[in-house]
Amino acid sequence: DFEVDSDVLFLGDGNSSPSAWAAFQYTAFVVFSFVVAIALTNIFIGVMSNAFDYHLDRVGQLFVRTRAHIGLDFLLRGEGRRALFCCCFCDCHCCGCCSRRRKRDADGESKAEDRLWLCYPRVEEGEEVVADGNTMRGSVHAVGDRLSKQVGNISERLRKIEAHLITEVEGDHAVADLLSD
């Protein structure tokens, strides 16, 4: 049933050579397969490098977020253990749970012992938060910011020059009016 006496190109007998059309099809298949494989590989590399750049720009933020999650988990586990397994019913302060209970108001709300953690980048006065420039995205943003500042400076200088020229032209008209009288 599946016995085929022909070769891969189905030429019939093994002695005849492939037609020009069959050879062209085989060559075109190999070339286009190679081109598609190279294109897909380049697309994959581009996507991965963009993802790497994006996360490299956010590495500080992600580090602080992870550190805060770990600290919160640690504190919540300790509070949970104290709430569930506090076996001390006296005011001896041997386990610390009694002293914590006394620091709460009559309504059950905590006093000033609770804390709020804030994380923000350390920036000195007059400094800007700038990307490291380690990535292409960071470099492009830095160059864009620098160019927009330069364009703003040039626009301001042009306004000053224009205002100066207007005052000089108005002054020249006043002098010309004085001379013409």
Side-chain angles (χ1 to χ4, degrees), residues 93-118:
H93 308 294
C94 60
C95 64
C97 64
C98 300
S99 62
R100 285 184 183 263
R101 252 187 256 132
R102 281 189 300 144
K103 289 180 183 173
R104 299 203 180 265
D105 290 338
D107 299 335
E109 292 191 21
S110 296
K111 291 185 180 179
E113 293 296 319
D114 292 338
R115 289 177 173 61
L116 173 66
W117 291 357
L118 296 175

Side-chain angles (χ1 to χ4, degrees), residues 18-129:
S19 67
W21 179 246
F24 173 75
Q25 286 178 340
Y26 188 73
T27 305
F29 173 75
V30 169
V31 168
F32 285 119
S33 297
F34 183 72
V35 168
V36 167
I38 295 296
L40 289 176
T41 303
N42 284 337
I43 290 170
F44 175 74
I45 290 170
V47 167
M48 293 304 291
S49 66
N50 283 342
F52 179 78
D53 284 347
Y54 175 73
H55 285 92
L56 188 61
D57 282 342
R58 298 180 57 219
V59 72
Q61 175 188 0
L62 294 173
F63 173 73
V64 170
R65 180 183 297 168
T66 303
R67 181 183 275 180
H69 280 289
I70 291 170
L72 179 65
D73 288 344
F74 177 77
L75 289 175
L76 289 178
R77 285 183 186 140
E79 289 291 323
R81 268 189 243 115
R82 277 189 215 97
L84 289 175
F85 302 116
C86 181
C87 59
C88 183
F89 296 108
C90 62
D91 283 341
C92 66
H93 308 294
C94 60
C95 64
C97 64
C98 300
S99 62
R100 285 184 183 263
R101 252 187 256 132
R102 281 189 300 144
K103 289 180 183 173
R104 299 203 180 265
D105 290 338
D107 299 335
E109 292 191 21
S110 296
K111 291 185 180 179
E113 293 296 319
D114 292 338
R115 289 177 173 61
L116 173 66
W117 291 357
L118 296 175
C119 297
Y120 58 92
R122 178 181 292 189
V123 178
E124 299 298 326
E125 189 174 328
E127 243 181 65
E128 293 181 20
V129 178

Side-chain angles (χ1 to χ4, degrees), residues 118-162:
L118 296 175
C119 297
Y120 58 92
R122 178 181 292 189
V123 178
E124 299 298 326
E125 189 174 328
E127 243 181 65
E128 293 181 20
V129 178
V130 181
D132 294 337
N134 293 336
T135 62
M136 180 64 81
R137 176 175 295 173
S139 299
V140 167
H141 285 296
V143 168
D145 291 341
R146 214 174 17 211
L147 283 176
S148 57
K149 284 181 185 177
Q150 288 177 349
V151 167
N153 290 340
I154 290 172
S155 297
E156 185 62 32
R157 291 169 82 187
L158 284 174
R159 279 192 217 107
K160 288 179 182 178
I161 290 171
E162 183 181 23

